[in-house]
Amino acid sequence: MSTTVSQLAHYNAKVARSRATSEPTWVRWALIISSLLFLSLFLFIPLAAVFTEALRKGFETYVAALVEPDAVSAIKLTLIAAAISLPLNLVFGIAAAWAIAKFEFKGKSILITLIDLPFAVSPVIAGLIYVLIFGLQGWFGEWLIDHDLKVIFALPGIVLATIFVTFPFIARELIPLMQAQGKEEEEAGLVLGASGWQILWHITLPNIKWGLLYGVILTNARAMGEFGAVSVVSGHIRGLTNTMPLHVEILYNEYNYAAAFAVASLLAFLALITLALKSYIEWQSSRSAIAREKASDQ
């Protein structure tokens, strides 16, 4: 009797959810068409325009714009800044997420607020803050000059600005994931005599691997495409401190549209690769979740 009542309640709940989420056919088609029109207007058409303009003067002109010395320097600087900021953000993101999700301590809410700070502060303001601290007239400007160190208008300033605008992504991806998983497995490992590093490597990281990869991809995409903060601290020194977005701006302002769109197409291509990796990770993550649910049901 109790089994029949339970099955009936489950069926009623399923029917209620179906009714709550079902819409008339014309509403569904209207939403689909609206979404496609929006994506076409703000995503597909601009992307097609970028690649069309990049190849308008022929493939040889396109390749020449990418192998030009200033363009090569901008590509290298972009990759270097991303390669330095990404591991640092990775360490910070894991440490911050682990501390927030697994422990209770004073100032926890303040730490969460500070992690969200780059989302609330304009990147341009962040760049100006670094100029105020490390610039010629900044707090540490004289000391840096005396020790022949250069932060602003050099690679260190670009890396600092990139780290500032990208450090929330990994932490913000991992915090809810770790909170949802709880800390029972870590506590079990601790009871069985595992050390902190063993718990991290064999329990925590395998459980968050897809979320971690997702955060890494988002961080890398933002690092390579950042404009505002890097623009302020770079000084726009052509061939030295220009990243790819800054190089595109300079070429466009010089009316060198073919070269500007060529470099922009490279950024767009990297964005498409990022999108493909993101979709793959989401698919793998959903498969892992389904597999865990089936295992728990058995």
Side-chain angles (χ1 to χ4, degrees), residues 21-40:
T21 56
S22 62
E23 296 290 347
T25 304
W26 70 269
V27 174
R28 282 180 286 174
W29 276 107
L31 292 173
I32 292 172
I33 293 173
S34 299
S35 300
L36 290 176
L37 288 175
F38 186 87
L39 288 173
S40 299

Side-chain angles (χ1 to χ4, degrees), residues 200-247:
L200 174 66
W201 286 106
H202 298 289
I203 298 176
T204 304
L205 289 182
N207 286 339
I208 63 171
K209 60 181 179 181
W210 295 117
L212 183 60
L213 287 173
Y214 187 79
V216 166
I217 289 174
L218 292 179
T219 301
N220 185 66
R222 179 64 189 274
M224 290 191 297
E226 173 56 27
F227 180 85
V230 172
S231 177
V232 175
V233 301
S234 70
H236 292 267
I237 304 174
R238 195 163 186 167
L240 293 176
T241 64
N242 274 341
T243 58
M244 291 170 66
L246 302 183
H247 187 60

Side-chain angles (χ1 to χ4, degrees), residues 73-255:
S73 175
I75 294 170
K76 287 182 178 179
L77 183 59
T78 302
L79 296 177
I80 290 172
I84 295 174
S85 61
L86 187 57
L88 296 176
N89 279 317
L90 184 65
V91 174
F92 169 79
I94 294 174
W98 198 5
I100 291 170
K102 306 296 183 180
F103 302 99
E104 295 295 332
F105 54 90
K106 292 182 179 180
K108 183 175 178 178
S109 59
I110 297 176
L111 177 58
I112 295 174
T113 302
L114 291 176
I115 290 174
D116 291 336
L117 186 63
F119 292 140
V121 176
S122 169
V124 175
I125 301 301
L128 290 174
I129 291 172
Y130 284 119
V131 172
L132 176 63
I133 297 175
F134 300 109
L136 184 62
Q137 306 298 325
W139 296 350
F140 301 108
E142 293 185 4
W143 185 88
L144 291 171
I145 293 174
D146 293 340
H147 291 79
D148 196 24
L149 298 174
K150 200 170 184 180
V151 175
I152 303 301
F153 304 158
L155 177 61
I158 294 172
V159 171
L160 286 174
T162 303
I163 291 174
F164 179 86
V165 299
T166 56
F167 76 78
F169 289 97
I170 294 178
R172 263 299 163 198
E173 187 65 31
L174 294 182
I175 289 171
L177 180 60
M178 286 186 173
Q179 287 175 335
Q181 290 176 349
K183 49 187 178 182
E184 289 80 8
E185 293 187 27
E186 284 85 353
E187 290 175 346
L190 188 62
V191 170
L192 293 173
S195 65
W197 283 109
Q198 287 175 326
I199 292 173
L200 174 66
W201 286 106
H202 298 289
I203 298 176
T204 304
L205 289 182
N207 286 339
I208 63 171
K209 60 181 179 181
W210 295 117
L212 183 60
L213 287 173
Y214 187 79
V216 166
I217 289 174
L218 292 179
T219 301
N220 185 66
R222 179 64 189 274
M224 290 191 297
E226 173 56 27
F227 180 85
V230 172
S231 177
V232 175
V233 301
S234 70
H236 292 267
I237 304 174
R238 195 163 186 167
L240 293 176
T241 64
N242 274 341
T243 58
M244 291 170 66
L246 302 183
H247 187 60
V248 171
E249 181 198 30
I250 287 179
L251 292 173
Y252 191 83
N253 290 337
E254 293 176 347
Y255 304 102

